[in-house]
Amino acid sequence: MNLPEASVLVDYLILGAGPAGLQLGYFLERAGRDYLILEAAAGAGDFFRRFPRHRQLISNNKVFTGYDDPEVNLRFDWNSLLSDDSELLFKNYSLDFFPHADLMVRYLEEFAERFALRIRYGARATRVSRDGNFLVETAAGETFAARRLIVATGISRPFVPDIPGIDLADNYVDVSLDREEFRNQRVLIIGKGNSGFETADHLVSRAAIIHIASPRPIQFAWRTHHVGHLRAVNNNLLDTYQLKSQNAVLDCSIQCIEKREDGKFQVKVSYTHAHQEQEALIYDRVIACTGFRFDDSIFDASCRPKLAIQDRFPDQTSAWESVNIPDLYIAGGLMQMRDFKKITSGFIHGFRYNCRALHRILEERYEGNPWPVAPFAATPDGLSRAILTRINQTSALWQMFGYLAEIFVLPKEGIEGRRLEEMPVDYLREIALDRNSDCYVVTLEFGTTEGDPFNVVRRPDPEAAEESFFLHPVVRHFRAGEKLSEHHMLEHLFGEWHDEALHVAPLRDYLEREMRARSRAQELVTSG
């Protein structure tokens, strides 16, 4: 293989100066590491110069929370990156709950400038290879070498479903935004995600008929708790469907799209809930709003990452490392492969915490710095206080529910335990942390319900806490990698777990029982 000579060699090379690249760059800069960010565009946050197409963000910008604690406020701030600068928060850029996307561009550019992040703009990667080090060639003819490569390019390439005739459809990424082009037309939108409904909402005042189609029913974010599912801000079209205003939502498979001689499109569909009844429907326009995928075209055979989930994402370990290319890591929206359509890794308010965890993993693996720890008194009262402090403050566990955890490790001897914050639960399982020690793994998790999430019968009884539907703390006790017990804390309307009778005493009693049992087990081992 003839490899070019690199002009720059760094320890960490990040592809992409979007929010993930900047967030990881911030942590590397603060740690004094040798890194560089390559960005194809002339400035940071280029994705948000183009998307969403209709320019309204759907990530919450809740400025007024009633709390003074900046960590608690991050529970309701879905746009800010993590930093030690209290001024560099998105609430200082807009008071709108759903701000204009142009403000995100401004925010990201100022974030990069404020922390003097090392970014090479106008450096579009055209080929990535590996011969010992990673080599990244750019359109400008430069070559950069790195010991570790972090891909933070996002899901930038349209995902095109395998439908005969799909090339006849417009695509969300470049369909005209001029409503007048759709005046009195029949429009089919393929895809029931936010981009599809965002597009429908844009056209509803001009189009004669709008149909939104995909094989499966709509997934509502307020039911699934996954913010990538349909958000209420985009679902106005549903009223027009159920209130008989010509529009419709179709659960069907698209069999093919054909263009007729009169310029219209015949679309053959097979209905999911009508015994696969087939019908040919006629439209003036078809728009594919079918999402995005990872673009792996720049990787040659020496370091092409294996793909997963219909080839939409790089396949990743629990440390966000490529499963087949060592030292190639993934950051940002691509991290959602690990919790696809379940939690929030595909969004800033989720992957900002993943990026912090990834940085800690890199520090452990390559810099010899173990995961940061904080001490706590290894008594029932000390452990309960430590747990209560964290669950009443943490934004990471709030946003990355069930995925990130606080780990409280009891000592084999002595009375001082170790707390490791915001560790991915899957990563904890793989590294077998202190396999011979007791540890308590604390997460925030939603309960489940089969009925209407707005009509849930609650039992305000600590003994029934495991029936809690809303976000609530779960404490699991492990020894030698085996789960010994599990304790749920009763949900609370404000997400505050301070009540002595409902929260504090039940937790303390649980820990006392578990720690007494541990002491008895140790005594038996010693006496034996």
Side-chain angles (χ1 to χ4, degrees), residues 57 67 183 257 263 363 376:
L57 299 176
Y67 293 100
R183 181 187 285 267
I257 303 170
E363 287 288 302
F376 68 91

Side-chain angles (χ1 to χ4, degrees), residues 205-266:
S205 65
R206 299 296 193 278
I209 290 175
I210 299 175
H211 289 171
I212 296 187
S214 75
R216 289 176 291 278
I218 299 168
Q219 293 289 310
F220 293 101
W222 43 260
R223 178 182 289 277
T224 66
H225 307 298
H226 173 57
V227 297
H229 286 149
L230 182 60
R231 301 285 303 284
V233 67
N234 282 327
N235 71 15
N236 288 333
L237 190 87
L238 298 180
D239 269 6
T240 70
Y241 172 34
Q242 293 295 337
L243 299 179
K244 306 180 293 300
S245 295
Q246 294 189 281
N247 303 319
V249 177
L250 309 179
D251 290 353
C252 64
S253 297
I254 309 297
Q255 302 299 300
C256 65
I257 303 170
E258 300 171 342
K259 192 166 186 177
R260 305 193 319 179
E261 291 184 1
D262 61 1
K264 296 182 184 295
F265 298 95
Q266 176 175 278

Side-chain angles (χ1 to χ4, degrees), residues 192-213:
K192 295 197 189 93
N194 283 295
S195 62
F197 276 88
E198 168 199 329
T199 302
D201 198 45
H202 180 70
L203 298 178
V204 72
S205 65
R206 299 296 193 278
I209 290 175
I210 299 175
H211 289 171
I212 296 187

Side-chain angles (χ1 to χ4, degrees), residues 407 409 418 420 423 428 431-437 439:
I407 318 298
V409 183
R418 297 177 297 129
L420 296 87
M423 180 177 282
L428 170 68
I431 65 173
L433 176 70
D434 286 350
R435 183 171 289 279
N436 295 319
S437 294
C439 70

Side-chain angles (χ1 to χ4, degrees), residues 47 50-51 153-160 171 173 290-298 307 311-312:
F47 177 88
R50 295 169 290 134
F51 302 106
T153 52
I155 42 176
S156 56
R157 183 175 174 182
F159 175 72
V160 181
N171 194 280
V173 302
T290 49
F292 295 84
R293 56 157 293 186
F294 170 59
D295 185 357
D296 66 340
S297 62
I298 62 173
L307 302 182
D311 292 342
R312 293 180 67 178

Side-chain angles (χ1 to χ4, degrees), residues 330-347:
I330 310 302
L334 292 170
M335 287 171 149
Q336 67 182 286
M337 176 263 155
R338 295 291 306 178
D339 60 301
F340 186 56
K341 293 190 176 181
K342 294 179 182 177
I343 314 179
T344 59
S345 291
F347 307 87

Side-chain angles (χ1 to χ4, degrees), residues 73-378:
N73 283 332
L74 281 171
R75 293 178 169 186
F76 316 108
D77 173 354
W78 291 9
N79 295 287
S80 296
L81 297 180
L82 305 176
S83 79
D84 56 5
D85 189 335
S86 60
E87 293 184 3
L88 210 57
L89 295 170
F90 205 84
K91 67 179 184 179
N92 296 323
Y93 289 72
S94 175
L95 297 180
D96 293 336
F97 195 75
F98 296 122
H100 195 282
D102 288 352
L103 293 175
M104 177 57 75
V105 176
R106 179 183 151 204
Y107 171 75
L108 295 174
E109 288 185 329
E110 293 186 9
F111 188 95
E113 183 178 355
R114 182 77 59 90
F115 297 110
L117 301 183
R118 289 173 243 175
I119 305 173
R120 182 71 66 91
Y121 292 113
R124 179 177 297 280
T126 56
R127 181 171 181 249
V128 180
S129 57
R130 188 176 193 181
D131 185 14
N133 293 323
F134 292 97
L135 294 172
V136 178
E137 301 170 45
T138 71
E142 294 182 294
T143 301
F144 299 86
R147 296 178 177 87
R148 272 80 65 181
L149 182 67
I150 299 108
V151 179
T153 52
I155 42 176
S156 56
R157 183 175 174 182
F159 175 72
V160 181
D162 185 16
I163 298 173
I166 191 66
D167 56 303
L168 297 172
D170 293 305
N171 194 280
Y172 171 76
V173 302
D174 52 17
V175 66
S176 173
L177 299 182
D178 183 358
R179 292 184 178 94
E180 292 303 316
E181 289 188 17
F182 298 85
R183 181 187 285 267
N184 205 35
Q185 291 190 346
R186 299 165 62 100
V187 179
L188 173 66
I189 296 174
I190 303 174
K192 295 197 189 93
N194 283 295
S195 62
F197 276 88
E198 168 199 329
T199 302
D201 198 45
H202 180 70
L203 298 178
V204 72
S205 65
R206 299 296 193 278
I209 290 175
I210 299 175
H211 289 171
I212 296 187
S214 75
R216 289 176 291 278
I218 299 168
Q219 293 289 310
F220 293 101
W222 43 260
R223 178 182 289 277
T224 66
H225 307 298
H226 173 57
V227 297
H229 286 149
L230 182 60
R231 301 285 303 284
V233 67
N234 282 327
N235 71 15
N236 288 333
L237 190 87
L238 298 180
D239 269 6
T240 70
Y241 172 34
Q242 293 295 337
L243 299 179
K244 306 180 293 300
S245 295
Q246 294 189 281
N247 303 319
V249 177
L250 309 179
D251 290 353
C252 64
S253 297
I254 309 297
Q255 302 299 300
C256 65
I257 303 170
E258 300 171 342
K259 192 166 186 177
R260 305 193 319 179
E261 291 184 1
D262 61 1
K264 296 182 184 295
F265 298 95
Q266 176 175 278
V267 180
K268 295 180 181 178
V269 303
S270 176
Y271 292 107
T272 305
H273 307 300
H275 305 287
Q276 306 305 314
E277 175 195 0
Q278 297 191 0
E279 187 173 8
L281 303 173
I282 307 302
Y283 299 97
D284 297 289
R285 300 286 288 270
V286 180
I287 306 172
C289 297
T290 49
F292 295 84
R293 56 157 293 186
F294 170 59
D295 185 357
D296 66 340
S297 62
I298 62 173
F299 292 88
D300 78 5
S302 64
C303 63
R304 179 171 290 116
K306 180 182 178 183
L307 302 182
I309 310 178
Q310 295 181 288
D311 292 342
R312 293 180 67 178
F313 304 96
D315 201 358
Q316 302 157 47
T317 70
S318 64
W320 299 292
E321 184 179 21
S322 168
V323 297
N324 66 310
I325 307 296
D327 303 319
L328 189 156
Y329 292 87
I330 310 302
L334 292 170
M335 287 171 149
Q336 67 182 286
M337 176 263 155
R338 295 291 306 178
D339 60 301
F340 186 56
K341 293 190 176 181
K342 294 179 182 177
I343 314 179
T344 59
S345 291
F347 307 87
I348 291 175
H349 64 292
F351 67 63
R352 63 190 179 191
Y353 303 104
N354 289 351
C355 286
R356 181 156 62 190
L358 173 58
H359 177 251
R360 288 168 173 165
I361 291 170
L362 298 177
E363 287 288 302
E364 277 191 319
R365 292 185 172 183
Y366 303 111
E367 310 298 342
N369 295 321
W371 201 281
V373 299
F376 68 91

